[in-house]
Amino acid sequence: MRNILIIEDDIDFAEIVRDMLEGYDYQVSIVNTCETAYEILKTNQFHLILMDINLPDGTGFEVCKELRAVSSVPVIFASARTGEDDKITGLDIGGDDYLAKPYSLKELLARVNALIRRTYGSESEERVYQIHTIRVDVANRTVQKNGAEIKLALKEFDLLAYLCAHPNKAIRKEELLREVWGIFSEAEIATVAVHIRWLREKLEDDPSNPALIRTVWGVGYEFCTLV
């Protein structure tokens, strides 16, 4: 099931949108401030975010800028601000679509479906990696170990997915930083090592002697499926 986050200060309106989306098998969460958006994004993964611009403690533009530093999750701006400058700003800072209020629920659903399909592909194209006791479902952004779900932060999951896509290959830290955090990210190379350590703590049977995510000295890391 796809998870959608609605960031909207009009709770009554957000609940109408949620009810509609849940009727089409989406799982929907609602927050109404920048602060609560930051908090939920720290511990939860979403397939798409529906973002208002005018929020009580800031703007959706600010949230999107922060989000783009760590995630490529699709973002649809939905706002009563319909000026051309606002639309350009929303798209320039990393928004994938811009929907002007008022809009029909049918149009919203069509845009959500199209963006989900474009980003994650059809069900038949979904990637699932099974490595020993670890199961990584890229499309649904879930990880299981021995059948129990493991909670990963946004960048932890993105890093793991990249490693899974390049098994048994030594990958340089610089490549991981570029491909996972993005070429415009201000993150430093040490960030990769920190996230590798966090992944090991959650996935390895013995994090001090990792068997899955191995260090290749002088190069970077290797996700080993030949344990």
Side-chain angles (χ1 to χ4, degrees):
M1 181 177 290
R2 309 293 191 185
N3 298 316
I4 294 178
L5 176 63
I6 298 176
I7 306 175
E8 167 67 61
D9 66 338
D10 186 339
I11 295 298
D12 291 338
F13 177 71
E15 289 177 345
I16 292 172
V17 174
R18 179 191 62 194
D19 291 345
M20 182 274 294
L21 290 172
E22 289 183 343
Y24 288 89
D25 295 326
Y26 288 105
Q27 182 174 317
V28 181
S29 301
I30 298 172
V31 296
N32 64 346
T33 65
C34 296
E35 181 179 0
T36 53
Y38 294 137
E39 289 302 315
I40 197 171
L41 287 167
K42 287 179 182 178
T43 55
N44 294 271
Q45 284 86 40
F46 296 94
H47 295 98
L48 184 143
I49 296 176
L50 185 62
M51 183 106 64
D52 192 8
I53 296 176
N54 295 325
L55 298 168
D57 56 345
T59 70
F61 291 153
E62 296 166 357
V63 176
C64 188
K65 286 179 181 178
E66 293 290 331
L67 183 64
R68 281 294 173 258
V70 296
S71 175
S72 59
V73 60
V75 172
I76 297 177
F77 281 106
S79 176
R81 291 168 58 166
T82 59
E84 183 179 27
D85 288 345
D86 287 319
K87 293 180 181 179
I88 292 173
T89 297
L91 297 174
D92 279 348
I93 64 174
D96 297 277
D97 200 352
Y98 196 108
L99 191 56
K101 294 180 180 176
Y103 54 78
S104 74
L105 294 180
K106 287 184 178 181
E107 181 180 6
L108 171 62
L109 178 63
R111 296 200 186 202
V112 167
N113 287 341
L115 189 50
I116 288 285
R117 188 167 55 249
R118 187 165 70 244
T119 304
Y120 304 104
S122 65
E123 295 296 321
S124 62
E125 295 172 335
E126 292 180 357
R127 291 171 293 162
V128 177
Y129 300 102
Q130 181 73 49
I131 304 95
H132 310 292
T133 61
I134 306 297
R135 185 178 189 273
V136 181
D137 186 330
V138 176
N140 289 303
R141 298 184 68 86
T142 60
V143 179
Q144 294 179 336
K145 180 178 180 180
N146 293 318
E149 186 170 355
I150 305 295
K151 293 292 186 181
L152 298 184
L154 288 169
K155 275 301 163 211
E156 290 174 357
F157 185 90
D158 292 342
L159 177 58
L160 178 60
Y162 191 83
L163 290 169
C164 285
H166 302 81
N168 307 310
K169 173 187 175 183
I171 304 176
R172 299 187 64 83
K173 295 178 182 178
E174 292 81 3
E175 178 181 343
L176 293 171
L177 185 67
R178 180 182 69 250
E179 296 298 327
V180 177
W181 277 264
I183 61 175
F184 299 113
S185 171
E186 296 180 359
E188 299 180 354
I189 200 72
T191 302
V192 177
V194 171
H195 282 71
I196 290 288
R197 186 181 77 242
W198 290 343
L199 282 177
R200 286 171 171 167
E201 290 173 353
K202 294 179 179 180
L203 300 178
E204 299 278 2
D205 291 332
D206 181 4
S208 63
N209 186 29
L212 290 174
I213 305 175
R214 297 178 176 177
T215 298
V216 181
W217 297 108
V219 181
Y221 302 99
E222 175 187 12
F223 191 73
C224 187
T225 65
L226 307 176
V227 179

